[in-house]
Amino acid sequence: MTNQISLIKQTDIIITVASWEERFITGMYGLIDAVTAKSIIMFFYKEYYNWSKDNIEKLKNTCKERGINIISKELSFASSFDTWGMLVNTIQNDIQFRDYITIDISTMPREAIWIICHLLDQKGYKIQYTYHTPNAYPSDWLSRDPGKPRLVYKLAGISKLNKPTTLVILTGFDIERARQLVRYFEPDNLLLGIQTGMQYENLHQNRERHEAGFTRHRGVKYFDIDGYSVNNCLLTLENETRHFKDSNVVISSLGPKLSALALYEFKVKNKDIALSYAPSNEYNHEYSSGYKDRIIGILHE
Amino acid sequence: MINKYINPFEYEPATKLDVEQVIKYYIEDFNYSRFIFSRRNIFLVGERGTGKTMSFLYYSLPVQYLKVANSREKIDLSIISVYIPCNTPLVHRREHELLDNLNASLVSEHFFVVSIMASIVSTLLKIVKLMSQREEIKFRAEMEYILGIELLKDAPTLQALLIALDRANVNAQEALNSDNKETIYKLISFSSGLRPLLSSLSRIPKLKNSHYSLMIDDAQLLNQYQISALNSWIAYRDNELFSFKIATTRVEAPSLLTSSGGNILEGHDFTKIEMEQPYQNKLSSFGKLARQIITRRLKTIGINNSPEEFFPINQQFIEDIESAEKQAKLEAQEKYKNGTTKQIDDYVYKYKRAIYFRDRSKRANLPPYTGFELLIHLSTGVIRNLLDPPYHMFDRMYSEMHAANGGGTVIVDKIPPNIQDEIIKERSKIKWEWIKNDLDNTIEGCSREEAQRVYRLMDNLAILFKKRLLANISEPRAVVFTISGYEQVKHSELDKILLLSRKAQMLYVFTSSAKDSGKRETYYMPNRILWPQRGLDAQGQHARVSIMADHLLNSIKSNTEIPFKGDEQDDEPNLFDQTD
């Protein structure tokens, strides 16, 4: 991971999702300067408003001081229908045509990332993404109380009749969320992408736990993946799924947030596959600590 | 000679088994599953692992075809059973939520109907020489007229029909994915597609007397529009040509509402089969089913031992139970001076195990848990639970033997009591740890607080049952309970915890008739795999304990022990008493 700030494109608009995490506010302060933003669309989830409101107010005040227009809109984990409606209306009505738009995916749920990218793509905008890495994740838990997995509106692909289901999961720290997806879809083929590298004690927390946790699943296939590189991730996905084209492929990301973009890229290139979101109803207040670095890139490049 | 590692107690979902394995493993008796091969509308209700999918797959035409091929009999086409899975990405689509009710209903029915039609056509492809050339031309013309499309000329008719159905399926999905609201797609309904297809098929001579048993698996996953459409088709009660067999979980059982707002009724429109079986002694239906399952599984690896021989009981346990039996007999003779033989025998039957457990408790270590009959009780009437400990026992035994003989050929012809005991306690401990630490990471809609409450409920039930086991009361080994003093509003928090416990399959629910009034009553049976870790008798018995809803509520909210009042507790023998 390197700070690629020299590559950043100037864009008028940033789309972000507010969070209580330090990397949200610190990252946004830097990002505003880096892209010379004139306007910010800040979504927030009502279920976590109380945790996030200090950061929301801080960002609003900063924007006010610096003459940056900021629009704040409420989303809901509990109602993907309402969230969809809000995202569609905002992107259709509140954005005048721009060449590039920056989305800050650092604290943006994957479902929102996919829908926002889809809607921006439909309008013909080019998407610059940024991801702010934290200094550390907690050692105990990140999220719990899993909700029912769901296919994402408009991104559920094309399911063929009488074909087996292949589930591809880019795994993360929470093995139970992966299990939840497997229980829900009961796939005929299961492919588990395991993050390479030693970051955040990755090897112990991810690889070993998943390999131990799925020993009883017949025919499970593991593959290494670098979720921190959208392009490498995409290439790996193309390679690992090539033998499963004749099945209904459902794909989900629980690993590094950047892998969600790779999944979206993969989905755009393979219109038949379905994107699935595995929600959690409870996040750790200490979800991450600090702000370490910024990763930037351009989607579809 | 077995060289390859094959664990005969494999219990992966039935859809993972190949056709041969389904034939090899399936037991037709003691589970009412023959109802599936009938012309009635049937609901199979049971949680995961109770054998619903296996039953459906077994009766599906491809499996029946292979079965008769093996036996050189002729296939019976009077009932053609078609397996229709609902756990597919197509069913999981949610775009109907973005549409108005009418369009949501139409498009949902379309996907469902097209899936059913494709399953029927795929099933019929298994029938050799289904149609003559002339019949095929006629059938093709009818289908083209019905669906308003031209079938591919170069493909055989059924293949061409499958391609057309897939096209209709793809078109509708593309329209939903697109944001062009003007996109037109031709939708197929029950009336315009499925019903005419079945009618056309009935005009093919080979199928003229065939009835289609449409087996809808995992119906709880269908959306509300698909459920109400399905219920409406059931309500027709046109069982001459087709019937529905519907498998669903009990916890998330779909509504019985039809599209027109009516209800389908059990007994009137459909027959319900409960797949979880409340009685688990060796003479019960489940006991007999379990025996056949284990015997059949052992035979697949060339072992002809009986289940009792394969899972021998700990010798010390046998001796201790014999000693407890003698003690119980002495107590009975003391209590019933001049008593009848029946009185003495009843007392001995009821108390010998309780006496054994009371004596063991003084030594403060857990008793050994071994034997086939115990495995049946530990299953709590669920086939997957029955296979879980043996699966792990076999694996452990195989590993030890394999390592001991340097990687050579291994034949596991029994599981020694020490390994049985070790695995059962381990599985029990894992369940407790899972409830305590991971329930909220696993069960949808379960928060950390609620996970703690489920743990408290199970923990306090274990404490109550332990106190009862050690007390000198009339029904010491009761491990089933009913709830008294229940009020809907006041106990909604309790309701949620009971529901989550059921979702986690830590609690099973049955209804039965109360002995005194004959009224239907709800019985709660915690998963008996929990009891070995607490030194309880997993063999259960006999009575149900009536627990006040308030007491259960206190136990989950403030971790207060459920009061134990000795023989004053409202417990009584009931139907369980007669059969367990």
Side-chain angles (χ1 to χ4, degrees):
Chain A
M1 274 181 293
T2 54
N3 188 328
Q4 303 171 66
I5 199 156
S6 58
L7 302 174
I8 207 158
K9 285 194 183 297
Q10 307 299 294
T11 69
D12 289 349
I13 298 176
I14 299 172
I15 300 177
T16 188
V17 169
S19 162
W20 62 96
E21 293 171 70
E22 186 186 335
R23 62 175 163 161
F24 163 70
I25 195 70
T26 309
M28 277 303 290
Y29 287 156
L31 187 61
I32 289 169
D33 290 335
V35 301
T36 58
K38 295 187 176 65
S39 184
I40 293 173
I41 298 174
M42 175 177 60
F43 295 104
F44 64 90
Y45 280 82
K46 67 178 179 188
E47 289 87 348
Y48 291 93
Y49 175 74
N50 281 339
W51 286 8
S52 305
K53 65 184 175 190
D54 287 350
N55 279 345
I56 289 172
E57 289 310 312
K58 279 183 194 169
L59 187 60
K60 280 182 178 173
N61 291 336
T62 300
C63 287
K64 196 174 170 187
E65 286 163 14
R66 300 174 60 171
I68 297 168
N69 180 40
I70 182 163
I71 302 168
S72 169
K73 304 266 182 162
E74 183 182 273
L75 304 178
S76 164
F77 278 112
S79 171
S80 52
F81 175 80
D82 290 343
T83 293
W84 166 263
M86 180 59 79
L87 292 172
V88 169
N89 286 336
T90 306
I91 288 172
Q92 279 180 351
N93 302 330
D94 293 335
I95 300 179
Q96 302 304 313
F97 184 78
R98 296 288 189 287
D99 192 14
Y100 278 94
I101 286 180
T102 297
I103 60 168
D104 174 14
I105 64 164
S106 313
T107 54
M108 192 179 276
R110 288 165 180 82
E111 188 177 45
I113 293 174
W114 293 329
I115 294 173
I116 289 170
C117 287
H118 170 68
L119 295 171
L120 293 175
D121 266 346
Q122 281 198 318
K123 294 201 79 174
Y125 298 131
K126 290 177 185 165
I127 301 167
Q128 171 169 260
Y129 61 84
T130 68
Y131 176 67
H132 301 128
T133 59
N135 276 330
Y137 287 105
S139 56
D140 50 356
W141 62 280
L142 288 174
S143 61
R144 55 194 183 193
D145 185 1
K148 195 175 277 187
R150 56 194 186 222
L151 298 187
V152 181
Y153 290 136
K154 307 282 185 188
L155 297 171
I158 303 289
S159 292
K160 296 162 283 267
L161 300 170
N162 296 335
K163 296 289 180 192
T165 300
T166 297
L167 177 63
V168 185
I169 307 173
L170 306 191
T171 62
F173 294 141
D174 294 336
I175 186 170
E176 285 303 335
R177 283 177 86 183
R179 280 189 205 269
Q180 167 84 351
L181 282 161
V182 174
R183 264 195 306 275
Y184 187 70
F185 289 108
E186 292 187 341
D188 301 278
N189 313 302
L190 175 62
L191 308 182
L192 296 180
I194 306 289
Q195 178 64 32
T196 56
M198 297 294 287
Q199 63 282 357
Y200 311 118
E201 293 183 54
N202 172 65
L203 192 65
H204 171 68
Q205 293 217 6
N206 197 6
R207 174 176 284 280
E208 289 177 8
R209 290 181 64 204
H210 281 85
E211 286 184 353
F214 285 93
T215 46
R216 282 217 58 248
H217 200 283
R218 193 187 284 190
V220 58
K221 188 177 178 233
Y222 299 93
F223 60 94
D224 289 336
I225 196 154
D226 177 9
Y228 289 99
S229 163
V230 175
N231 288 337
N232 288 349
C233 196
L234 182 59
L235 284 173
T236 307
L237 284 171
E238 291 284 6
N239 189 43
E240 296 296 335
T241 58
R242 69 187 190 283
H243 299 305
F244 299 94
K245 298 283 184 201
D246 197 35
S247 61
N248 291 316
V249 178
V250 177
I251 190 158
S252 193
S253 155
L254 305 172
K257 192 62 76 67
L258 286 163
S259 68
L261 290 174
L263 255 61
Y264 178 73
E265 292 266 37
F266 185 59
K267 159 73 195 158
V268 170
K269 288 176 195 288
N270 300 273
K271 68 167 187 160
D272 287 358
I273 69 153
L275 286 181
S276 173
Y277 178 59
S280 275
N281 295 322
E282 189 181 352
Y283 290 92
N284 192 337
H285 190 265
E286 312 304 322
Y287 191 92
S288 74
S289 60
Y291 163 63
K292 185 177 179 186
D293 207 352
R294 174 179 302 132
I295 294 172
I296 61 165
I298 305 291
L299 213 56
H300 309 317
E301 259 189 9
Chain B
M1 194 69 77
I2 307 294
N3 287 314
K4 206 172 120 192
Y5 173 78
I6 299 171
N7 192 323
F9 305 111
E10 180 62 65
Y11 56 99
E12 279 210 286
T15 47
K16 297 276 177 63
L17 302 177
D18 58 39
V19 175
E20 282 87 359
Q21 283 174 308
V22 171
I23 293 171
K24 215 185 280 180
Y25 291 161
Y26 189 72
I27 304 294
E28 294 181 48
D29 301 317
F30 305 116
N31 54 10
Y32 301 103
S33 68
R34 287 191 181 88
F35 281 38
I36 294 167
F37 202 66
S38 74
R39 294 174 180 237
R40 301 154 76 174
N41 291 319
I42 304 282
F43 273 65
L44 295 188
V45 181
E47 300 310 330
R48 279 168 174 247
T50 49
K52 305 183 296 295
T53 302
M54 188 76 163
S55 296
F56 276 1
L57 288 173
Y58 180 76
Y59 286 103
S60 67
L61 191 72
V63 174
Q64 290 299 311
Y65 233 102
L66 186 71
K67 200 179 147 212
V68 298
N70 292 343
S71 65
R72 300 187 179 189
E73 290 171 16
K74 204 176 162 198
I75 189 82
D76 174 8
L77 294 177
S78 64
I79 295 180
I80 296 176
S81 298
V82 180
Y83 179 69
I84 301 147
C86 291
N87 196 350
T88 64
L90 184 63
V91 170
H92 291 303
R93 291 194 74 100
R94 300 158 57 236
E95 282 77 11
H96 63 274
E97 294 170 10
L98 304 175
L99 303 172
D100 61 77
N101 274 342
L102 177 63
N103 280 309
S105 159
L106 291 173
V107 80
S108 298
E109 182 170 342
H110 170 85
F111 287 135
F112 191 26
V113 164
V114 164
S115 301
I116 296 172
M117 290 172 75
S119 295
I120 293 170
V121 175
S122 294
T123 298
L124 294 179
L125 280 169
K126 307 285 178 197
I127 302 176
V128 184
K129 293 180 187 164
L130 176 64
M131 293 178 265
S132 68
Q133 202 177 359
R134 201 169 146 197
E135 289 157 7
E136 189 168 348
I137 291 168
K138 191 173 165 229
F139 177 68
R140 175 183 284 261
E142 282 188 28
M143 290 319 298
E144 286 185 338
Y145 179 74
I146 289 163
L147 297 175
I149 52 168
E150 197 175 339
L151 296 177
L152 274 183
K153 289 211 169 9
D154 295 338
T157 302
L158 289 180
Q159 286 288 3
L161 185 52
L162 262 187
I163 292 167
L165 290 168
D166 214 23
R167 189 67 247 167
N169 170 49
V170 168
N171 285 347
Q173 289 182 79
E174 282 177 342
L176 283 181
N177 288 347
S178 126
D179 274 347
N180 180 2
K181 292 195 174 70
E182 301 307 312
T183 309
I184 296 168
Y185 44 88
K186 183 175 164 48
L187 297 176
I188 300 174
S189 68
F190 176 79
S191 313
S192 70
L194 179 53
R195 188 73 173 80
L197 168 68
L198 295 176
S199 297
S200 285
L201 289 172
S202 70
R203 288 189 279 277
I204 296 171
K206 207 166 186 174
L207 302 176
K208 69 176 180 191
N209 295 318
S210 295
H211 171 95
Y212 296 85
S213 172
L214 304 174
M215 305 183 296
I216 315 283
D217 198 9
D218 287 320
Q220 74 281 357
L221 297 173
L222 295 169
N223 71 36
Q224 63 182 96
Y225 302 103
Q226 289 163 334
I227 289 290
S228 54
L230 176 59
N231 290 340
S232 302
W233 308 337
I234 289 171
Y236 289 162
R237 278 184 284 134
D238 175 6
N239 297 137
E240 190 57 40
L241 189 53
F242 62 90
S243 60
F244 290 95
K245 311 296 184 288
I246 295 162
T248 170
T249 56
R250 187 201 295 267
V251 172
E252 293 177 315
S255 123
L256 298 177
L257 276 177
T258 65
S259 303
S260 59
N263 261 311
I264 52 169
L265 301 171
E266 185 183 349
H268 190 63
D269 299 301
F270 66 89
T271 302
K272 186 160 89 175
I273 298 176
E274 304 278 357
M275 295 300 281
E276 285 151 12
Q277 301 200 33
Y279 314 120
Q280 291 109 38
N281 70 17
K282 62 184 174 188
L283 300 176
S284 67
S285 291
F286 185 77
K288 290 172 184 166
L289 175 67
R291 169 174 297 282
Q292 289 205 14
I293 289 171
I294 298 296
T295 305
R296 179 86 58 95
R297 296 281 182 134
L298 289 174
K299 281 193 174 145
T300 63
I301 56 161
I303 302 296
N304 291 314
N305 287 353
S306 70
E308 283 82 0
E309 288 166 336
F310 194 79
F311 298 106
I313 302 175
N314 175 291
Q315 188 54 39
Q316 185 63 49
F317 178 82
I318 294 172
E319 288 166 18
D320 288 350
I321 279 285
E322 280 170 359
S323 164
E325 187 171 348
K326 281 179 193 158
Q327 194 186 326
K329 198 164 186 176
L330 288 173
E331 286 180 13
Q333 285 162 345
E334 177 68 22
K335 184 172 180 180
Y336 302 109
K337 290 189 172 80
N338 307 319
T340 63
T341 307
K342 186 176 185 309
Q343 279 177 314
I344 305 288
D345 287 350
D346 282 353
Y347 186 92
V348 170
Y349 173 72
K350 191 184 278 189
Y351 288 105
K352 70 175 180 187
R353 291 183 69 92
I355 289 168
Y356 167 80
F357 276 85
R358 276 175 218 159
D359 288 350
R360 293 287 309 185
S361 71
K362 291 172 197 160
R363 298 176 210 166
N365 58 347
L366 296 175
Y369 290 91
T370 57
F372 171 61
E373 196 174 355
L374 179 79
L375 288 171
I376 303 176
H377 286 279
L378 287 171
S379 76
T380 329
V382 174
I383 294 167
R384 202 172 292 177
N385 295 349
L386 173 73
L387 295 172
D388 177 272
Y391 177 88
H392 292 275
M393 289 171 190
F394 186 91
D395 190 64
R396 173 76 58 84
M397 191 63 203
Y398 187 96
S399 301
E400 291 197 359
M401 290 174 77
H402 194 254
N405 79 352
T409 302
V410 166
I411 297 174
V412 179
D413 61 358
K414 68 174 178 187
I415 307 287
N418 64 315
I419 289 187
Q420 292 181 55
D421 180 47
E422 204 178 306
I423 294 288
I424 286 171
K425 284 170 183 161
E426 186 182 289
R427 303 307 296 164
S428 183
K429 188 176 172 205
I430 286 171
K431 281 291 178 205
W432 279 106
E433 284 172 354
W434 178 67
I435 300 173
K436 192 169 189 178
N437 302 322
D438 272 329
L439 210 61
D440 53 325
N441 290 325
T442 315
I443 302 299
E444 290 159 20
C446 179
S447 66
R448 181 89 285 262
E449 171 61 23
E450 285 163 340
Q452 283 169 350
R453 288 181 170 198
V454 171
Y455 180 80
R456 286 178 202 148
L457 173 67
M458 294 302 159
D459 188 40
N460 282 305
L461 284 169
I463 292 168
L464 173 68
F465 292 154
K466 190 70 183 270
K467 282 181 182 168
R468 292 179 59 89
L469 182 62
L470 303 182
N472 189 17
I473 56 173
S474 59
E475 307 291 347
R477 291 189 295 126
V479 286
V480 172
F481 68 95
T482 54
I483 302 176
S484 55
Y486 171 81
E487 292 170 44
Q488 186 83 41
V489 178
K490 187 176 166 191
H491 297 110
S492 60
E493 287 176 287
L494 176 61
D495 253 6
K496 178 80 193 284
I497 300 309
L498 293 172
L499 179 68
L500 290 171
S501 305
R502 291 173 62 194
K503 274 188 172 181
Q505 294 194 257
M506 289 299 102
L507 186 67
Y508 295 95
V509 172
F510 307 100
T511 55
S512 190
S513 300
K515 203 173 186 182
D516 45 4
S517 63
K519 223 169 73 178
R520 299 296 285 178
E521 200 167 7
T522 303
Y523 292 80
Y524 297 86
M525 186 184 290
N527 190 328
R528 293 182 180 182
I529 192 67
L530 294 171
W531 300 151
Q533 178 69 7
R534 297 304 181 93
L536 282 158
D537 185 6
Q539 194 153 319
Q541 69 154 147
H542 288 83
R544 53 94 172 165
V545 184
S546 175
I547 305 176
M548 292 285 292
D550 280 346
H551 294 157
L552 286 172
L553 192 62
N554 290 341
S555 79
I556 62 166
K557 286 175 80 171
S558 50
N559 205 19
T560 310
E561 283 188 18
I562 300 164
F564 171 54
K565 300 180 288 182
D567 260 345
E568 290 169 28
Q569 190 127 19
D570 177 22
D571 58 310
E572 61 174 51
N574 50 43
L575 286 182
F576 288 94
D577 192 23
Q578 295 166 1
T579 52
D580 196 8

